[in-house]
Amino acid sequence: GQTIIVSAMRAKERENPVAFATLTVRDLAERYSTQDIPQLLSELPSTTFYSENGNGIGYNYLTIRGFDQRRISVMVNGIPQNDPEDHDVYWLDFPDLAANLQDIQVQRGAGSAFYGPPAIGGTVNLITTSFAKNPGVSFYSGLGSYNTRRNSVSISSGLVGERYEVYGRISRIQSDGYRNQSWTDFSSYFLGAIRFDENMTTQFSFYGGPIADHLAYYGISKSDAYSHDDALRTQNPIRRPEEIENFSQPHYELYHEWRLSDKVTVNNTFFLVTGSGFFDYDGSWAPYSYFRLTRGNGFSVVGDPDTLYVSNALIRAFVDNRQYGWLPRARYRHEDGQLTVGAEVRIHRSVHWGALRWGEGLPGGVTPDFHYYEYRGAKNILSLHAQEIVKLRSDLTLQVALQYAYNQYSLFDEKYIHTDFSIPYYFFYPRIGINYNLNENFNCYTQISRTSREPRLVNLYNAAEASTPQSWGVVTPQFKSLPGGGYDFTSPLVQPEALVDVELGGGYRDEKVHAALNLFYMSFKDEIIKNGQLDRFGIPVTGNAERTLHQGIEFSGGANLLDGLEVSANATLSKNRLEKYT
């Protein structure tokens, strides 16, 4: 049944000219207890992570080759998971998903995904599994450091009537966190059903879970981090117990594979992702004017709104997301290889608002229903792709891929300022590579690809901060100004980044030893980089750098020394520099 998901998206050693690593179901069973996906991936080449809570549960951040997860294409069963507006991946929205993974493959480098945002650092594809030939019920209960608990129960029907299988799991992960006031409380569910027919397979998955956690995104000083004082080392500058988050993001996925003949297979994936929730955080730093508590908005305010502050203000930031799509794909097996063609259609809609949840001495008329910012977002995505893998000789494989992508951002229904715009982006991604098997043990490969990526929506306009007082620096749409006032919404100031990536590598494998070496040369035009400033939540502000260059060498290897004893290691050395930047 897993062929529905795996086909055409997985790299194979000695065939695909790409640097990659895979965590198998055995690897995951040995490693997974409660930690989120980034920590599981952190031992793979060029891959690192960090955890806000300090224990690998909650907000975790992944980097590949130094590129953050906004520039890593993440997919579950081939379905894109990066947020269409800010390109980020919120791993805590997949609680306990690792309990249902068949494997995780990480392909490093540019443009190695058919679907989703273009890969810069690499592509992470998680494949779920939920079926077993034999029926059964299993229970799991675990207890660990920082009062961490995981409890789950799962049930499998086995194969029923030689045609059906059903699987279900519910679980809960809780922890006090390593840091003070960094608790997490994650509930999780997973339901899978599959039907096998003679020439087709149909599979449905439903998973997600409501999550709750205390905010922990502020860092501490280096000296405190290395302190022997537990109170200093584990402090959380976000002290108020009301500073929490609640969110739920259920996924509905339907996969269908139709084997028309021995040579032709057609796959269709339909999906719906809904998500809504909030986070509450301290707002005592903000003056009345930031919350639009002014006479112009109908509030009786005595004094200057720019110098009056709301004591103990608590802000609620709310978001509601809807994303649905269709991913069709057809595969033709011919004498010397395989041709795959497909498309991606995705529609995303969102609602954002901020409100004063609580505060002391507020003017009359301020209620939790008063939104000091509110806007709607939209993104339409269409892409077409084709890939040919052909054996030029028994030891020589050529891979060629082409993809066209159309992305359209829209922001509308903005309260107060009424900044509405819609901006399209058009991209073309070519990729070509070749793999040569020198003998049964050695292979080498090379690949060159070009990819581009549009800015995040916040690079175009940060509507949530548009009420910032003028004395702090006015937040305006980041578009070219018109001589008579206003903005040219066809001319954004932050341009898409473009990358040419060249990879060269090789590997050796026998019954006991395996090793791989890869060199990469990544040349950017207008790379979207951190420019040295932070936003309200400590997230780096980004902008274009005219020319940048990333070069590196990656090594990985392992050996079976004795029965049951395996040794593995990997290392990366890279040089990353600004070649032309103001």
Side-chain angles (χ1 to χ4, degrees):
Q2 299 305 318
T3 57
I4 297 176
I5 300 162
V6 172
S7 62
M9 292 212 171
R10 317 294 279 168
K12 296 179 182 178
E13 195 171 337
R14 298 171 58 85
E15 181 175 318
N16 298 95
V18 61
F20 72 96
T22 303
L23 286 178
T24 66
V25 66
R26 174 192 165 192
D27 297 328
L28 294 168
E30 290 174 349
R31 291 160 174 78
Y32 176 63
S33 58
T34 58
Q35 66 273 45
D36 287 332
I37 304 298
Q39 184 171 351
L40 291 171
L41 299 179
S42 62
E43 63 186 74
L44 299 180
S46 296
T47 306
T48 60
F49 95 107
Y50 76 89
S51 163
E52 283 184 354
N53 302 59
N55 62 347
I57 305 172
Y59 274 97
N60 291 271
Y61 300 89
L62 182 71
T63 68
I64 298 177
R65 294 182 177 174
F67 298 104
D68 62 34
Q69 57 197 27
R70 287 193 173 104
R71 305 161 85 192
I72 299 168
S73 183
V74 177
M75 297 178 290
V76 176
N77 300 332
I79 297 174
Q81 301 300 322
N82 298 68
D83 184 274
E85 291 180 344
D86 70 9
H87 300 178
D88 214 334
V89 181
Y90 300 96
W91 297 99
L92 76 171
D93 292 332
F94 311 100
D96 210 20
L97 183 63
N100 290 98
L101 291 179
Q102 172 181 303
D103 68 36
I104 308 174
Q105 186 174 98
V106 177
Q107 299 179 25
R108 303 187 301 278
S112 45
F114 283 157
Y115 306 125
I120 299 292
T123 303
V124 179
N125 198 0
L126 300 91
I127 301 298
T128 62
T129 183
S130 54
F131 307 109
K133 292 182 179 180
N134 300 315
V137 180
S138 65
F139 301 88
Y140 177 96
S141 187
L143 178 67
S145 301
Y146 321 118
N147 197 26
T148 302
R149 295 93 73 198
R150 174 174 166 237
N151 297 283
S152 69
V153 57
S154 59
I155 183 169
S156 177
S157 69
L159 192 59
V160 177
E162 299 298 319
R163 179 163 291 188
Y164 299 96
E165 290 184 30
V166 178
Y167 171 91
R169 172 190 54 78
I170 55 172
S171 58
R172 189 177 186 186
I173 297 176
Q174 298 168 284
S175 179
D176 291 345
Y178 171 76
R179 304 178 68 181
N180 179 37
Q181 292 195 59
S182 63
W183 57 265
T184 50
D185 188 352
F186 298 163
S187 298
S188 174
Y189 52 82
F190 189 102
L191 175 65
I194 192 167
R195 171 182 166 128
F196 300 100
D197 291 291
E198 183 177 354
N199 295 316
M200 61 181 63
T201 307
T202 307
Q203 183 175 329
F204 173 76
S205 294
F206 170 56
Y207 63 90
I211 62 100
D213 62 302
H214 191 275
L215 304 184
Y217 52 79
Y218 279 139
I220 60 174
S221 68
K222 184 176 181 180
S223 60
D224 288 344
Y226 285 92
S227 170
H228 294 290
D229 186 335
D230 285 346
L232 290 176
R233 191 174 63 251
T234 63
Q235 67 175 294
N236 179 4
I238 301 175
R239 292 292 185 183
R240 294 177 63 175
E242 302 91 353
E243 295 186 85
I244 63 170
E245 174 187 34
N246 285 179
F247 200 78
S248 180
Q249 182 173 278
H251 295 246
Y252 308 82
E253 302 174 353
L254 179 66
Y255 324 100
H256 183 265
E257 180 175 275
W258 186 11
R259 297 171 290 280
L260 297 174
S261 68
D262 292 339
K263 293 184 177 182
V264 180
T265 303
V266 176
N267 294 82
N268 284 282
T269 300
F270 301 91
F271 67 92
L272 168 66
V273 182
T274 64
S276 64
F278 65 86
F279 67 98
D280 293 345
Y281 63 100
D282 180 77
S284 56
W285 45 266
Y288 273 36
S289 58
Y290 180 84
F291 299 114
R292 304 190 193 277
L293 303 180
T294 63
R295 288 179 289 275
N297 288 318
F299 296 100
S300 299
V301 177
V302 179
D304 184 357
D306 282 350
T307 59
L308 296 173
Y309 289 81
V310 180
S311 180
N312 290 322
L314 189 70
I315 298 172
R316 169 159 293 185
F318 174 87
V319 62
D320 181 83
N321 286 309
R322 295 288 184 274
Q323 183 180 188
Y324 53 92
W326 172 42
L327 307 173
R329 187 173 70 249
R331 185 177 69 245
Y332 171 64
R333 299 179 187 271
H334 50 82
E335 183 178 353
D336 298 318
Q338 177 177 288
L339 172 66
T340 304
V341 295
E344 170 191 17
V345 181
R346 281 195 290 149
I347 306 296
H348 177 264
R349 298 292 183 267
S350 65
V351 177
H352 305 255
W353 55 255
L356 261 175
R357 188 68 178 168
W358 193 83
E360 296 177 4
L362 292 172
V366 180
T367 70
D369 295 327
F370 172 70
H371 298 168
Y372 71 90
Y373 76 82
E374 182 177 327
Y375 66 94
R376 295 177 181 271
K379 194 172 186 182
N380 300 324
I381 299 168
L382 170 65
S383 74
L384 305 171
H385 68 262
Q387 176 179 276
E388 171 70 29
I389 299 177
V390 59
K391 283 190 173 294
L392 303 177
R393 299 185 332 203
S394 61
D395 57 358
L396 194 63
T397 304
L398 174 69
Q399 179 175 332
V400 179
L402 301 173
Q403 182 176 6
Y404 165 82
Y406 165 79
N407 299 329
Q408 183 188 45
Y409 274 127
S410 295
L411 189 145
F412 58 99
D413 287 351
E414 185 193 19
K415 197 173 182 180
Y416 303 107
I417 302 178
H418 311 295
T419 301
D420 291 4
F421 62 83
S422 182
I423 181 166
Y425 293 95
Y426 308 91
F427 298 119
F428 181 66
Y429 313 130
R431 185 168 80 249
I432 185 170
I434 194 165
N435 178 83
Y436 175 50
N437 297 327
L438 287 77
N439 54 40
E440 293 182 355
N441 304 113
F442 285 97
N443 78 294
C444 60
Y445 61 84
T446 186
Q447 181 189 139
I448 182 169
S449 56
R450 187 186 187 280
T451 191
S452 300
R453 192 189 67 142
E454 75 279 6
R456 295 182 292 141
L457 183 59
V458 72
N459 290 128
L460 304 178
Y461 180 47
N462 191 350
E465 296 293 308
S467 59
T468 298
Q470 290 193 8
S471 59
W472 294 12
V474 180
V475 174
T476 60
Q478 296 300 290
F479 294 85
K480 182 180 178 180
S481 298
L482 295 173
Y487 301 93
D488 180 359
F489 287 114
T490 65
S491 300
L493 300 182
V494 179
Q495 298 298 310
E497 58 186 349
L499 164 66
V500 175
D501 179 21
V502 180
E503 309 270 334
L504 176 65
Y508 173 86
R509 180 178 293 275
D510 62 26
E511 292 182 357
K512 291 191 174 182
V513 177
H514 64 91
L517 190 70
N518 186 71
L519 291 81
F520 60 87
Y521 178 94
M522 308 176 75
S523 177
F524 280 90
K525 180 186 178 193
D526 292 326
E527 182 180 1
I528 300 174
I529 67 166
K530 303 170 185 176
N531 69 8
Q533 298 172 295
L534 301 177
D535 69 9
R536 182 95 56 231
F537 309 104
I539 303 299
V541 176
T542 57
N544 291 127
E546 187 173 347
R547 290 286 181 183
T548 60
L549 182 63
H550 302 254
Q551 299 165 283
I553 182 169
E554 302 164 322
F555 168 80
S556 61
N560 298 320
L561 301 181
L562 299 169
D563 288 341
L565 177 61
E566 300 176 12
V567 176
S568 63
N570 66 71
T572 301
L573 178 64
S574 65
K575 183 177 182 180
N576 311 275
R577 64 179 184 266
L578 301 168
E579 294 202 304
K580 190 174 183 182
Y581 175 55
T582 303

